[in-house]
Amino acid sequence: MEEKLEHISGDISTLTDKITAIETAMETEDTSFLKSYKNIKERAQCTLQDPELLSGALIEVAKHLGNLKFRVWEKMLGIVQYTPVMLDPNTARASLSLSDDLTTVRNTDTAQYCPDNPERFIRCPCVLGSEGFTSGKHSWEVKVGNKPKWTIGVAKKSINRKGDVTCSPKKGLFCIMLRNGDEYYASGGTVLTLERKPQSIRVQLNYDRGEVSFFNSSDMSLIHTFKDTFTERVFPYFGPCVRDGGKNDEPLQISPMNVYVTVTSFQ
């Protein structure tokens, strides 16, 4: 296009010069004009070629505007992330620090000022998910990395929030936990034997069947399953635990999930 614009500009300049020369000649005396008429006529001849109409020069409007909103959404999937669970800062103990996007929590061991609302945990360094569940299937993944101590799982709404939290299904807590870097337990004291140390844990809740299952996200090997009967709302539970002298300050992070777009054709 730049080349064509340069060529057109050259043609315009040539025509402008011709017009200027002819207008100058026409301002002379009649006798001089008539004597140079033949030469002026030849100079006034224009042999410029009409612009070439290239094949495909028309914009394919339907291609670019058809299903425009869907196409934009489809392309946005590469940069847009969806996190199935968000942390609820109103439940976090005062020593916990949450990220701005509410997907990461770490224990700072430094108390911050927080309102003593009924939802907030006072003694246990933990936080709940912002949305509770009363039916259906739900899943989320938590990056635990190399933290030597953590607790993750599901808690009933009625769990004790102002005193010590007992890790037991009878007390409304269905969790697995890591202690001392290599000791894994399930709520209630069950010792768990893992073939490899997980970097990420997938939690799957089937409320209607009363099941909470935990998997190693790398190979989806089952770690443990709780079975119970749920009659109240349950929430995702995250416990980064105390720092143990600064050795447990890594965060727990909720992983974003992949989002897909599918088109269904009707026969």
Side-chain angles (χ1 to χ4, degrees):
M1 185 174 289
E2 290 177 351
E3 292 177 356
K4 290 186 177 296
L5 288 173
E6 184 178 354
H7 180 69
I8 292 172
S9 297
D11 290 342
I12 292 174
S13 178
T14 300
L15 289 173
T16 301
D17 292 342
K18 288 179 178 290
I19 293 172
T20 301
I22 293 171
E23 289 178 343
T24 301
M26 292 177 65
E27 292 176 355
T28 61
E29 296 181 358
D30 295 344
T31 303
S32 300
F33 177 76
L34 292 174
K35 287 181 178 180
S36 59
Y37 172 74
K38 183 177 181 181
N39 184 37
I40 294 174
K41 182 180 179 181
E42 291 177 355
R43 292 181 63 183
Q45 298 298 317
C46 180
T47 59
L48 296 178
Q49 185 178 1
D50 292 335
E52 179 184 1
L53 182 61
L54 299 178
S55 176
L58 294 178
I59 297 176
E60 297 182 18
V61 178
K63 176 182 178 181
H64 296 288
L65 297 184
N67 295 314
L68 181 59
K69 291 182 179 179
F70 176 82
R71 300 301 176 192
V72 172
W73 182 35
E74 189 177 38
K75 292 182 180 296
M76 287 289 289
L77 291 180
I79 59 175
V80 174
Q81 295 182 333
Y82 169 72
T83 305
V85 171
M86 309 300 291
L87 302 175
D88 183 0
N90 293 333
T91 66
R93 186 190 181 192
S95 62
L96 299 186
S97 175
L98 275 59
S99 61
D100 292 338
D101 62 359
L102 302 179
T103 63
T104 301
V105 57
R106 69 172 72 241
N107 195 339
T108 65
D109 279 351
T110 301
Q112 310 168 71
Y113 171 76
C114 295
D116 186 14
N117 50 296
E119 300 86 1
R120 190 175 308 281
F121 289 89
I122 297 300
R123 300 190 63 178
C124 180
C126 58
V127 59
L128 300 182
S130 61
E131 181 182 359
F133 308 110
T134 57
S135 64
K137 298 178 180 179
H138 311 274
S139 66
W140 57 94
E141 290 190 6
V142 184
K143 291 183 180 179
V144 296
N146 293 313
K147 286 177 65 63
K149 190 175 183 180
W150 46 258
T151 304
I152 58 175
V154 171
K156 292 183 178 180
K157 182 179 180 179
S158 59
I159 189 173
N160 180 19
R161 306 193 187 202
K162 302 306 177 183
D164 292 329
V165 175
T166 303
C167 288
S168 169
K170 293 182 180 180
K171 298 295 184 177
L173 192 57
F174 305 82
C175 289
I176 62 172
M177 61 200 79
L178 172 64
R179 297 293 183 265
N180 301 319
D182 58 1
E183 299 174 3
Y184 294 91
Y185 301 91
S187 293
T190 302
V191 177
L192 303 175
T193 301
L194 278 64
E195 295 182 358
R196 63 184 67 180
K197 184 176 182 178
Q199 297 292 303
S200 180
I201 304 291
R202 169 169 286 202
V203 185
Q204 290 190 180
L205 166 67
N206 188 327
Y207 187 97
D208 301 322
R209 296 183 60 178
E211 293 181 353
V212 182
S213 299
F214 301 84
F215 300 85
N216 185 336
S217 299
S218 63
D219 57 8
M220 289 305 294
S221 56
L222 178 64
I223 297 174
H224 188 72
T225 297
F226 292 99
K227 293 187 178 181
D228 201 285
T229 300
F230 297 132
T231 57
E232 61 179 285
R233 187 177 296 272
V234 297
F235 294 83
Y237 178 95
F238 307 88
C241 299
V242 296
R243 296 177 63 190
D244 292 336
K247 298 181 180 180
N248 193 35
D249 54 358
E250 297 90 348
L252 292 177
Q253 181 179 6
I254 306 169
S255 301
M257 297 184 67
N258 294 327
V259 182
Y260 300 94
V261 173
T262 58
V263 179
T264 303
S265 59
F266 296 93
Q267 301 295 333

